[in-house]
Amino acid sequence: MTEQALAVTRRLDTGTYENSGAGYETLLVEERDDRVVVTLHRPEARNAISGRMIDELHSVCDALERHPRLLLLTGHGGVFAGGADIAELLARGRDDALRGINSRLFERVRRLPMPTVAAVDGWALGGGAELSYACDIRIAGPDAVFGNPEPGLGILAAAGASWRLPELVGESVAKQVLLAGRTLDAAAALAAGLVMEVVPADELVERAHAVIDRMARSSATALRLTKLVVDAPGAHPVADDLAQAVLFEGQDKRDRMTRFLEKKASR
C-alpha cells in the first residue's frame, strides 16, 4: 500500500477523516460512528472505475476490516458507475488479467465483515454493475440500469458477474444479461430480485440509510456471524450451530432477550 493510502487508512481507523479530500481523488467518504458512506466520484467519466479508484477502495476496505462498520456505497451525479475505464482496459494485457485487478477488490467488498448496501441510480454497467453485485443489498432509483456489455468490447465480465449474477437472479436472466446484452432497468431488476426496492431518486440515499439504521439496531456480532454463515458455500448446519453457540454465550443476547420479555410482560 502506498504511503498516501496508509495515511487515508489511518484517518479512517481513528475516525478523524472528514472528507477533506486528502488522499482521495476518486471517492467522497463520510464517516459516522456505525457506518461509512462512500460515493464514487469521477464526474468527468461517469464514475468509471479506474486503477486509482480500485486502490482507494482497497484503502477503505482495509479500514473496514480493521474497524468493522456498515458500508453504504453510491455514485455521484445520478450515475453509479458507467463501467471500467476503457482506456486503462485497452492497455492491460494477460498478466494484468491474471492479477485480478477488479475481481480481487470486488471479492474483498463481498467479504467485508459487516453488511454492505449499494444505492444505485443511473448507469451501473460493466465493472460498475459487478461492484454493485458484490454488495449484500441493492436499492435502486427509477433510472437505474444494470448491464454487462463486455463481450461487445471483446472481453468478458470477469470480476464476478459470470458466477455472482446467476446466484442473484438465476441462470436464465443472467445469461440474457451476459450473453444477449440485455440491460435490466429498475423495474426489471426489482422483478428479478436483484434490488430490494425502487424509490424516487431524491429519496434513494435516505432510504439506504434507513435500511442501514435498521441493521445498526441489531447485534453487530449477530450480523457478522449471519453474513459469514449465509456466504459459506454448500450446506452448513455445523456453521449454524457454531455461530449460534457464540451468540448464545454473549451478554448482548441476554440483554436483548430480557428487554423483549420485559416489554412483552408490560403490555
Side-chain angles (χ1 to χ4, degrees):
M1 187 181 296
T2 66
E3 182 177 342
Q4 186 178 45
L6 281 170
V8 172
T9 299
R10 292 190 194 103
R11 292 187 185 94
L12 285 166
D13 283 343
T14 60
T16 61
Y17 185 75
E18 297 181 351
N19 197 29
S20 68
Y24 284 131
E25 293 179 2
T26 69
L27 304 177
L28 302 176
V29 176
E30 178 190 351
E31 288 281 304
R32 300 192 186 184
D33 289 340
D34 60 357
R35 73 199 66 180
V36 174
V37 183
V38 174
T39 303
L40 309 180
H41 187 256
R42 294 188 69 212
E44 76 286 355
R46 295 196 304 178
N47 303 330
I49 299 173
S50 63
R52 174 74 187 192
M53 184 181 286
I54 293 290
D55 289 344
E56 292 178 1
L57 286 169
H58 271 298
S59 297
V60 172
C61 287
D62 186 69
L64 289 173
E65 290 160 356
R66 293 168 183 263
H67 179 196
R69 281 169 288 174
L70 298 151
L71 171 66
L72 170 56
L73 185 63
T74 191
H76 173 77
V79 177
F80 186 72
D85 190 301
I86 302 302
E88 291 187 7
L89 285 181
L90 178 61
R92 291 179 187 171
R94 176 194 59 201
D95 291 342
D96 296 305
L98 293 174
R99 288 169 53 203
I101 296 171
N102 287 16
S103 63
R104 300 298 188 273
L105 169 69
F106 297 170
E107 183 61 16
R108 194 175 185 186
V109 170
R110 175 65 172 169
R111 298 299 175 189
L112 285 171
M114 293 289 281
T116 57
V117 177
V120 179
D121 200 23
W123 296 107
L125 300 178
E130 291 182 295
L131 177 56
S132 77
Y133 302 158
C135 292
D136 296 307
I137 295 169
R138 286 152 296 281
I139 298 174
D143 296 324
V145 179
F146 300 85
N148 289 98
E150 285 89 343
L153 296 170
I155 58 175
L156 61 91
S162 60
W163 53 271
R164 194 169 277 136
L165 188 59
E167 293 177 352
L168 293 171
V169 301
E171 181 179 319
S172 177
V173 174
K175 285 184 174 179
Q176 293 169 35
V177 174
L178 297 170
L179 301 179
R182 179 186 177 189
T183 57
L184 300 177
D185 62 16
L190 181 63
L194 182 61
V195 302
M196 176 178 175
E197 58 186 338
V198 178
V199 299
D202 60 355
E203 300 174 13
L204 179 60
V205 172
E206 179 183 355
R207 179 56 185 156
H209 275 297
V211 172
I212 290 179
D213 289 342
R214 186 164 66 242
M215 289 192 286
R217 290 192 290 270
S218 296
S219 160
T221 304
L223 286 176
R224 291 185 65 176
L225 288 173
T226 299
K227 180 172 175 174
L228 281 172
V229 172
V230 170
D231 287 345
H236 36 75
V238 174
D240 287 346
D241 294 343
L242 290 173
Q244 193 73 297
V246 171
L247 293 170
F248 272 14
E249 291 300 310
Q251 186 62 42
D252 191 38
K253 167 250 188 182
R254 286 188 281 272
D255 292 344
R256 287 171 179 272
M257 289 190 176
T258 298
R259 287 196 299 269
F260 175 84
L261 292 172
E262 290 173 347
K263 184 177 180 180
K264 184 177 180 181
S266 66
R267 290 175 180 170

